[in-house]
Amino acid sequence: QTRRRGRVITEMPKKPLNAFQLWFNVSFKGLQEERPGSTRSDIMSLGGERWRALPDQLKDVYRSKNDDLQDIWLEDAREFRKQLKLDPTLGKEQREEEREGA
């Protein structure tokens, strides 16, 4: 186990959401209310159109959040890999579960 900012890292950290995904998570309910009865696929298409039409100034807010999350993820991933070299059993349970499920 690795401690990072008070957190224990027991498995490889997952990559953060990209800027569009961060924006979409915030905007999803509004898009859904705008088009009631639409499928998630339709809402995703609408979201893509809206994202492309969004001014760069607004996109930059989400890009900046993504950059911050990416930096944290990179640090955590490096720390996990370093810890994995020290303790090869780290993540072993996860690997065993994947083998059993395969």
Side-chain angles (χ1 to χ4, degrees):
Q1 294 178 355
T2 301
R3 290 202 177 273
R4 173 103 178 99
R5 291 189 203 115
R7 294 180 289 149
V8 176
I9 303 173
T10 58
E11 59 186 46
M12 181 66 174
K14 294 187 177 175
K15 286 185 110 174
L17 300 176
N18 64 35
F20 167 73
Q21 291 167 328
L22 292 169
W23 172 83
F24 187 77
N25 285 346
V26 171
S27 305
F28 180 75
K29 285 215 183 274
L31 294 171
Q32 200 173 29
E33 289 172 2
E34 195 176 305
R35 301 258 174 103
S38 294
T39 64
R40 185 166 176 87
S41 178
D42 292 340
I43 306 263
M44 297 261 320
S45 294
L46 177 62
E49 290 172 18
R50 295 281 170 83
W51 173 257
R52 286 186 291 276
L54 210 60
D56 280 340
Q57 290 175 323
L58 293 176
K59 287 182 184 179
D60 287 343
V61 171
Y62 293 96
R63 289 176 180 147
S64 175
K65 286 180 187 180
N66 173 257
D67 289 343
D68 294 343
L69 292 171
Q70 191 80 10
D71 291 342
I72 292 168
W73 174 77
L74 285 171
E75 290 175 29
D76 287 349
R78 275 191 212 110
E79 188 65 32
F80 176 77
R81 287 186 193 112
K82 185 184 343 176
Q83 183 63 30
L84 188 59
K85 288 179 184 177
L86 298 175
D87 182 2
T89 63
L90 196 62
K92 184 178 179 183
E93 292 172 4
Q94 182 183 5
R95 288 192 301 270
E96 287 175 358
E97 287 174 8
E98 287 174 359
R99 275 190 228 124
E100 289 172 6

